[in-house]
Amino acid sequence: MAEIRSQSAAAMAVAASALKAQQGRMRIIAENIANANSTARTAGGDPYRRQVPVFRPAKVEGAEGVQMARVEGDQKDFKTEYDPGNPAADAKGYVKLPNVDTLVEALDMKEAQRAYEANLNVIETARSMQSRTLDILKK
């Protein structure tokens, strides 16, 4: 019984670590979408840079889960648009726009949501198995 409980607890701990990681990922994606149309505050300055979560393995309850290690700026080039009247325009009249593609962000959000749901299902299944095991032992 202790072995079953520890395996179930480990499965739930791994799934919980993934839930937390995906929650952080969705927060970063939402920030990217919110800043997709922002420009620099100063003429010729850099606008918002797309943020990307970096995950790493993490020990949880005798198993290996996941956690967000850090958030890095995406080093892809900024988009530019000719708009000489914009206060953020450089000397040639070009405005740097964020390197955020809202379509990519929407797809990333959908992937993170599905991963989150899958991990919720793992937790629900592990709880159900524990409950059924207890019901069998009661008989």
Side-chain angles (χ1 to χ4, degrees):
M1 174 70 176
E3 171 102 11
I4 292 171
R5 180 148 174 83
S6 66
Q7 289 177 354
S8 180
M12 286 196 282
V14 169
S17 73
L19 286 175
K20 187 175 180 181
Q22 293 303 329
Q23 181 182 23
R25 179 181 177 197
M26 287 187 272
R27 189 184 74 252
I28 291 166
I29 292 168
E31 181 181 318
N32 287 341
I33 292 170
N35 289 294
N37 295 318
S38 62
T39 58
R41 294 175 190 239
T42 60
D46 287 344
Y48 176 82
R49 183 172 293 279
R50 178 179 185 253
Q51 300 298 301
V52 181
V54 177
F55 300 102
R56 69 175 175 87
K59 292 285 184 194
V60 290
E61 300 226 7
E64 196 164 290
V66 65
Q67 83 179 145
M68 191 177 345
R70 64 187 179 283
V71 179
E72 293 181 348
D74 186 347
Q75 296 305 309
K76 290 182 186 171
D77 292 336
F78 294 114
K79 302 171 199 170
T80 57
E81 181 178 278
Y82 185 71
D83 186 4
N86 192 312
D90 63 12
K92 296 179 182 178
Y94 286 93
V95 177
K96 289 182 187 176
L97 301 173
N99 58 350
V100 176
D101 183 343
T102 54
L103 180 61
V104 170
E105 298 301 322
L107 292 172
D108 283 351
M109 181 66 84
K110 193 66 165 171
E111 182 182 337
Q113 288 172 333
R114 288 195 174 145
Y116 191 90
E117 290 169 4
N119 284 294
L120 275 177
N121 286 335
V122 168
I123 291 172
E124 289 172 12
T125 301
R127 283 185 181 162
S128 175
M129 289 173 62
Q130 281 182 345
S131 176
R132 286 186 179 171
T133 302
L134 290 173
D135 289 344
I136 290 170
L137 291 173
K138 286 179 185 178
K139 293 181 181 183

